[in-house]
Amino acid sequence: MKLVVLSGCTRGLGLALHNDLAELAGDFLTPLFIGRKLERISKTPAGVYVECDLRKPQLLENICTLIPEGVSEIVFINNAGTISPIAPVHDLACSDIVESYAVNISAPSIISSRLAKYSVERGIPLGIINVTSGAAKRVIEGWSLYCASKSALVMFLDVLAAENSCVDVIHFDPGVMETGMQCTIRQTAPDKMPQVSLFRSFYENGSLKDVRAVSREIIARCGIL
């Protein structure tokens, strides 16, 4: 049986992934969903749900105790993330930095490390699909926390894969999608984010991707479809 772990499952791409995985769940696939305010979504009885505020990632230390018996392969889709706050570095509060890194770096690092330990001890493969961004490779003013955390996680996961032959990592950049995050970006003032006009143009030109199409692409990479 394949276990698919998804972080961030109540909005945007995460909700699309949840719905697709819920439809595919059955004897050969069990999804494990990690998110906050899970009452917002329609749950599948075939899934495992973990209510967790990723700003407190230490709560995920024992995540593997929820893995059902009979799992022969694990896939972790790291989708959860926050771009807030969008602001110049000198305007960031200490709490802004701590909370952003908790969600974007600490939470997926803890989940990945716990799943890797579980996989290594049992000799089963672990695939990690890290939903990343072009922000991991280029400077976007106002996005210091998002850029830094996306870049840091790429290196963390690459080291994890280098250390363990049973771990395979794919860094998947979906491009610019129509999500709540994009709405937040478009509403940002230019003094907080000088390149905001570029992102507004994506919306005005109709060039934003549909999250449902992106979800199907990720599901295919999981080897399910």
Side-chain angles (χ1 to χ4, degrees):
M1 179 178 65
K2 178 176 291 189
L3 176 74
V4 179
V5 180
L6 171 65
S7 66
C9 60
T10 60
R11 297 184 297 175
L13 176 60
L15 180 57
L17 283 164
H18 169 272
N19 293 342
D20 284 342
L21 288 169
E23 288 186 5
L24 294 166
D27 293 340
F28 302 103
L29 170 67
T30 296
L32 191 157
F33 302 109
I34 303 170
R36 191 163 69 98
K37 299 181 179 179
L38 295 176
E39 69 275 5
R40 294 181 291 185
I41 60 177
S42 297
K43 299 182 178 67
T44 172
V48 178
Y49 289 84
V50 181
E51 176 76 31
C52 183
D53 184 344
L54 296 183
R55 293 173 298 181
K56 301 175 182 178
Q58 65 274 16
L59 299 175
L60 295 166
E61 183 177 1
N62 298 315
I63 188 69
C64 290
T65 61
L66 300 175
I67 297 177
E69 294 293 329
V71 169
S72 58
E73 180 182 356
I74 300 174
V75 176
F76 170 40
I77 304 173
N78 175 50
N79 168 71
T82 179
I83 199 168
S84 298
I86 299 174
V89 173
H90 62 266
D91 284 341
L92 296 173
C94 291
S95 59
D96 293 333
I97 298 171
V98 171
E99 290 186 3
S100 175
Y101 287 174
V103 174
N104 292 341
I105 304 176
S106 298
S109 296
I110 290 171
I111 296 170
S112 298
S113 67
R114 296 305 86 199
L115 293 177
K117 181 176 177 64
Y118 185 95
S119 297
V120 169
E121 290 177 347
R122 290 160 180 78
I124 61 176
L126 167 63
I128 299 175
I129 300 179
N130 177 37
V131 180
T132 187
S133 165
K137 299 178 180 179
R138 68 186 183 95
V139 171
I140 300 176
E141 293 173 75
W143 291 19
S144 59
L145 298 177
Y146 193 68
C147 290
S149 57
K150 285 296 186 181
S151 180
L153 186 61
V154 166
M155 185 56 70
F156 177 90
L157 294 176
D158 284 349
V159 171
L160 173 62
E163 292 172 343
N164 299 280
S165 60
C166 67
V167 178
D168 182 62
V169 175
I170 296 173
H171 300 294
F172 177 77
D173 181 357
V176 187
M177 302 173 288
E178 181 49 76
T179 62
M181 182 180 290
Q182 280 298 312
C183 185
T184 297
I185 292 169
R186 293 194 297 270
Q187 293 173 351
T188 303
D191 63 322
K192 300 291 186 182
M193 180 187 164
Q195 297 181 46
V196 67
S197 61
L198 173 63
F199 289 84
R200 290 172 180 169
S201 72
F202 293 150
Y203 176 76
E204 293 163 358
N205 297 334
S207 56
L208 298 175
K209 292 184 178 180
D210 187 324
V211 293
R212 292 169 296 183
V214 176
S215 173
R216 288 190 291 270
E217 186 174 352
I218 293 174
I219 295 294
R221 288 181 179 242
C222 292
I224 300 171
L225 295 178

